[in-house]
Amino acid sequence: MKESKVYNQDCLKTMSAIGKEKADLILTDPPYNLGLFMKNRDTNINAMRSNHFAGSGWDDLDFSEWKDYMLKFFLSANKVLKKKGNLIIFMSLIKVETVIELANKANLYYKTTGIWHKTNPMPRNMNLHFVNSTEAWLHFTSKSKTGIFNNNNKILHDFFETSNIKNSEKKEGTHPTQKPLEILSFFIKTLSNKNGLVIDPFMGSGSTGVAALNNYRKFIGGEIKKKYFNISKKRLKKISAQLNLF
Ligand SMILES: C[S@@+](CC[C@H](N)C(=O)[O-])C[C@H]1O[C@@H](n2cnc3c(N)ncnc32)[C@H](O)[C@@H]1O
C-alpha cells in the first residue's frame, strides 16, 4: 500500500526509522543463532545443499553476541509497537527460553509459545535420527496483557501445520529459510486489522510483506543482504501491481 516501505539495512536502523508507537504487528523470522552451532557439530553443509542457511553467513554470531543483539531488537520492538500491539517471532525450539528471557527484559508481555509443524520436511538422514519438522513461534504484546485477537470466536490452538513451501512461492523468494505465505497470513489476519501496519526488519525474501499486502495491511520491512532485499522489492512490486495498490 502507498505508505509501505522497504530498507536495505540493519534491523536496528529500520526500527529506529519507524518511530514510536506506530506498528500494530511485528511478525519476524530473525537468524536463529544456529549457524556456528551446526558448523561446530561438523555438519557437512555443502553436502546438504549450496543454498543452506548455515553456510549463508547471515547467522554466524556467537551466542552472547546474538543475545546482546536480540535484546536491542526487543527493546526497539517495544518502542515501535502501539499499545496492545502484537509481536510474533519465529525461533528454533532450543532458543525459546532465551527469547522469553530477553523479551521480558525489554518489558514485552509473554503470551504463548507455539509450534509450526511441516508435514513434508526434507527427510535428511532419516535412518539416523528423528527428522526435524518443527519450529517454534512466540507471541508477545506491548504495553498491555492483551492485543488485537481476531479469532472470530473460534478456538485457536498453539499449533499450526502446513506443508512445505509451494514451488511457485519458492521460485519467487529463493531464500533458504523462506516462510510459507499461509502461516504468515494466519498471524496477520488474527493479530492485526485491515490498514494496520505490519513490520518485519529481518524480511529475507519479503514473505511477510507479500502476506501483509495480500491482506490489505501496510508493510515496513528491512533486510541487510542486498540480494534478498532486491528479491523482496521485486515480490512486493508485483503484488502491489496485482492488487492495484499504487
Ligand atoms: C530467517 S531469514 C528470514 C526469511 C524470511 N522469513 C523469508 O520468508 O524469506 C533472516 C534474514 O535476516 C537477515 N539478517 C540477518 N541479520 C540481519 C540484521 N542485523 N539486520 C537485518 N537483516 C538481517 C538475513 O540476511 C536473512 O535474510
Side-chain angles (χ1 to χ4, degrees):
M1 301 188 68
K2 282 197 179 63
E3 298 97 312
S4 296
K5 247 189 204 153
V6 284
Y7 297 95
N8 179 203
Q9 62 189 20
D10 181 81
C11 157
L12 299 177
K13 267 194 167 173
T14 302
M15 298 297 269
S16 63
I18 295 167
K20 281 189 185 162
E21 307 213 11
K22 300 278 191 224
D24 298 279
L25 170 65
I26 298 177
L27 172 54
T28 197
D29 176 27
Y32 290 178
N33 191 233
L34 291 178
L36 289 186
F37 172 80
M38 293 189 75
K39 281 179 198 158
N40 291 340
R41 281 161 63 109
D42 285 336
T43 310
N44 189 346
I45 290 153
N46 290 334
M48 284 177 171
R49 62 187 155 104
S50 55
N51 191 26
H52 192 273
F53 78 90
S56 65
W58 51 254
D59 190 14
D60 279 351
L61 294 183
D62 73 29
F63 183 50
S64 68
E65 285 174 320
W66 178 80
K67 276 205 307 188
D68 290 349
Y69 190 88
M70 291 310 288
L71 177 59
K72 287 182 190 152
F73 160 72
F74 284 121
L75 288 163
S76 67
N78 207 7
K79 279 189 197 148
V80 158
L81 282 166
K82 289 179 185 166
K83 183 171 181 179
K84 291 181 175 286
N86 287 297
L87 166 65
I88 293 280
I89 180 167
F90 287 96
M91 192 43 57
S92 64
L93 280 112
I94 58 171
K95 293 282 168 22
V96 163
E97 196 180 344
T98 308
V99 162
I100 294 172
E101 183 194 316
L102 295 172
N104 279 345
K105 265 192 198 163
N107 283 326
L108 286 155
Y109 183 76
Y110 169 70
K111 300 280 286 182
T112 307
T113 300
I115 296 291
W116 170 39
H117 178 232
K118 295 166 251 187
T119 52
N120 53 348
M122 281 273 279
R124 204 175 278 139
N125 291 333
M126 58 177 267
N127 295 321
L128 300 178
H129 57 208
F130 299 103
V131 169
N132 175 245
S133 64
T134 53
E135 293 181 33
W137 47 267
L138 294 101
H139 178 203
F140 300 90
T141 50
S142 179
K143 305 164 200 89
S144 167
K145 292 181 179 172
T146 57
I148 294 168
F149 195 69
N150 298 322
N151 66 332
N152 301 323
N153 212 25
K154 283 194 196 132
I155 300 172
L156 299 182
H157 290 202
D158 52 7
F159 177 86
F160 198 91
E161 200 166 53
T162 70
S163 60
N164 251 338
I165 191 155
K166 291 189 190 116
N167 280 340
S168 54
E169 276 174 54
K170 192 73 195 173
K171 228 166 119 187
E172 289 196 348
T174 65
H175 193 288
T177 64
Q178 194 176 328
K179 292 284 174 292
L181 296 179
E182 187 185 342
I183 187 167
L184 300 170
S185 281
F186 165 72
F187 286 126
I188 288 166
K189 285 191 282 192
T190 308
L191 300 175
S192 72
N193 293 327
K194 275 194 183 162
N195 295 315
L197 176 62
V198 177
I199 309 283
D200 184 355
F202 298 100
M203 70 179 167
S205 64
S207 313
T208 305
V210 173
L213 297 191
N214 268 335
N215 289 293
Y216 299 96
R217 271 67 170 173
K218 295 167 214 149
F219 176 69
I220 297 180
E223 165 60 42
I224 205 159
K225 291 260 175 191
K226 185 84 179 162
K227 173 181 168 189
Y228 293 121
F229 169 75
N230 287 340
I231 291 171
S232 297
K233 230 167 77 176
K234 200 168 154 199
R235 286 181 88 191
L236 292 168
K237 273 194 177 160
K238 187 173 163 195
I239 195 79
S240 303
Q242 278 169 358
L243 296 174
N244 207 10
L245 294 177
F246 292 103

